[in-house]
């Protein structure tokens, strides 16, 4: 079986890196003979979209499972769409974790265990076993979704609150992010601090989209392959609201009774999946 493990270094003796999208290395491991291919994470320095880009990388490398410490919602959905199992809560030395996986001691997560943007701004994990995982786990960054009528300001963006849950021993923890109040929302004070908070969240979201777009441009300019994933719409669930059309950074979506996606333009970024209020869009492997 071909699996990927997020690691702090290039060997089986290195520790697991708890970050998925911004891990230092992906170790592609054949569990039959324990052969390893180490890939330096090209998405480590992305300002945004690292989770989805890294999930796409996993799909391109045709791994069947990913073992990591933490996985946010966008990356989780993308991995799920690619048919890749996600096992979170992993820690310690890579070799030990893979042996546990081979022994059937680890089970797949059913949902993401951190909010979006986990791992941004954090350094590489400590090299000693057991250290470094408790510290830093409470640094969750908000990946809040649209707040009601946010369309007037582009995509409505919320700011999640920190994740305080410890990870020790857990296969996964529930996503604890809660959207913050935005100006104009009922009960939200209209003051400079609140507006600053909201604007920062929106700027962060724009930066994330720009990062994903620039990453794809760079990939194409270097002769990169067509993305392994492509978005598809469930016509029965689509209400033609247009949210996905606004979200798509490459103009791959048109509305004709329901949303239609041009697979030739789609780069599989997953933004439409995140923004669809009906859950009508999903990513699938490109045929
Ligand atoms: S966001 Fe969802 S419901 Fe709205 S048009 Fe797109 S696919 Fe349809
Ligand atoms: S249709 Fe647009 S937003 Fe959706 S995955 Fe493709 S490129 Fe991204």
């Amino acid at each position: 079986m071909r699996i990927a493990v997020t690691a702090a270094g290039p060997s089986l003796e290195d520790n697991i890196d708890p970050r998925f999208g911004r891990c230092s290395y992906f170790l592609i491991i054949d569990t039959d003979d324990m052969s390893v291919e180490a890939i330096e994470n090209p998405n480590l320095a992305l300002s945004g979209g690292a989770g989805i880009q890294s999930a796409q990388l996993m799909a391109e490398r045709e791994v069947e499972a990913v073992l990591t410490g933490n996985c946010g919602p966008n990356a989780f959905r993308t991995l799920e769409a690619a048919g890749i199992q996600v096992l979170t809560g992993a820690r310690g030395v890579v070799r030990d974790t893979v042996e546990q996986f081979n022994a059937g001691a680890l089970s797949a997560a059913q949902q993401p265990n951190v909010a979006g943007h986990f791992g941004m701004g954090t350094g590489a994990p400590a090299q000693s076993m057991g250290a470094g995982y408790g510290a830093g786990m409470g640094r969750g960054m908000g990946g809040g979704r649209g707040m009601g009528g946010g369309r007037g300001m582009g995509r409505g963006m919320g700011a999640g609150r920190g994740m305080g849950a410890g990870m020790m021993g857990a296969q996964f923890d529930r996503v604890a992010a809660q959207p913050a109040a935005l100006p104009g929302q009922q009960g939200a004070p209209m003051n400079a601090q609140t507006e600053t908070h909201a604007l920062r969240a929106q700027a962060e979201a724009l930066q994330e989209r720009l990062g994903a777009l620039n990453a794809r441009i760079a990939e194409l300019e270097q002769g990169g392959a067509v993305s392994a994933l492509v978005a598809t719409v469930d016509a029965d669930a689509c209400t033609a609201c247009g949210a996905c059309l606004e979200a798509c950074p490459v103009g791959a979506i048109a509305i004709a009774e329901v949303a239609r996606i041009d697979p030739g333009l789609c780069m599989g970024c997953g933004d439409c999946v995140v923004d669809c209020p009906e859950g009508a869009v999903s990513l699938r492997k490109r045929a």
Side-chain angles (χ1 to χ4, degrees):
M1 185 175 180
R2 190 172 162 85
I3 67 170
V5 182
T6 58
S11 82
L12 287 171
E13 313 313 324
D14 284 300
N15 273 354
I16 285 183
D17 191 326
R19 305 162 298 179
F20 172 68
R22 288 186 169 77
C23 65
S24 297
Y25 286 86
F26 291 104
L27 302 189
I28 310 295
I29 300 169
D30 184 331
T31 56
D32 294 332
D33 60 10
M34 293 297 275
S35 59
V36 180
E37 178 193 359
I39 303 172
E40 266 190 90
N41 186 357
N43 308 310
L44 185 56
L46 284 184
S47 58
I52 288 178
Q53 294 297 322
S54 293
Q56 284 184 332
L57 179 62
M58 297 298 97
E60 285 160 11
R61 292 307 181 119
E62 298 183 334
V63 303
E64 295 172 67
V66 166
L67 277 61
T68 187
N70 302 290
C71 187
N74 290 345
F76 189 90
R77 280 193 205 97
T78 307
L79 289 166
E80 200 175 35
I84 299 171
Q85 285 186 2
V86 186
L87 294 93
T88 53
R91 63 184 186 277
V93 175
V94 172
R95 183 186 294 278
D96 297 341
T97 303
V98 176
E99 285 172 358
Q100 288 173 25
F101 175 80
N102 284 341
L106 306 178
S107 55
Q110 301 303 311
Q111 61 185 31
N113 67 333
V114 289
H117 300 172
F118 176 88
M120 280 188 78
T122 59
Q127 289 295 311
S128 59
M129 261 192 84
Y133 292 96
M137 287 298 177
R139 296 198 53 192
M141 300 276 297
R145 294 293 317 283
M147 297 291 295
R151 302 279 293 279
M153 298 178 72
R155 298 164 66 201
M157 296 303 299
R161 299 189 200 287
M163 299 282 296
M167 300 297 298
M168 292 300 192
Q171 285 300 315
F172 66 84
D173 291 331
R174 294 183 66 83
V175 176
Q178 298 294 327
L182 291 179
Q185 191 184 14
Q186 190 175 5
M190 290 290 288
N191 58 33
Q193 187 181 12
T194 304
E195 185 173 359
T196 300
H197 183 68
L199 291 174
R200 279 201 178 124
Q202 291 191 34
E204 192 178 291
L206 288 171
Q207 194 174 36
E208 180 173 343
R209 294 182 68 195
L210 187 61
L213 195 53
N214 282 333
R216 182 60 181 157
I217 289 169
E219 189 179 47
L220 291 172
E221 284 177 346
Q222 290 165 14
V226 174
S227 66
L229 301 175
V230 65
T232 184
V233 174
D234 177 351
D236 292 335
C238 176
T239 60
C241 72
C244 57
L245 187 147
E246 285 189 30
C248 182
V250 294
I253 302 176
I255 305 290
E257 294 186 358
V258 295
R260 309 276 182 201
I261 294 174
D262 182 341
L265 291 175
C266 176
M267 61 179 189
C269 70
D271 282 359
C272 53
V273 178
V274 174
D275 276 23
C276 177
E278 308 297 334
V281 199
S282 57
L283 293 175
R284 60 172 168 77
K285 277 188 178 176
R286 195 179 282 275

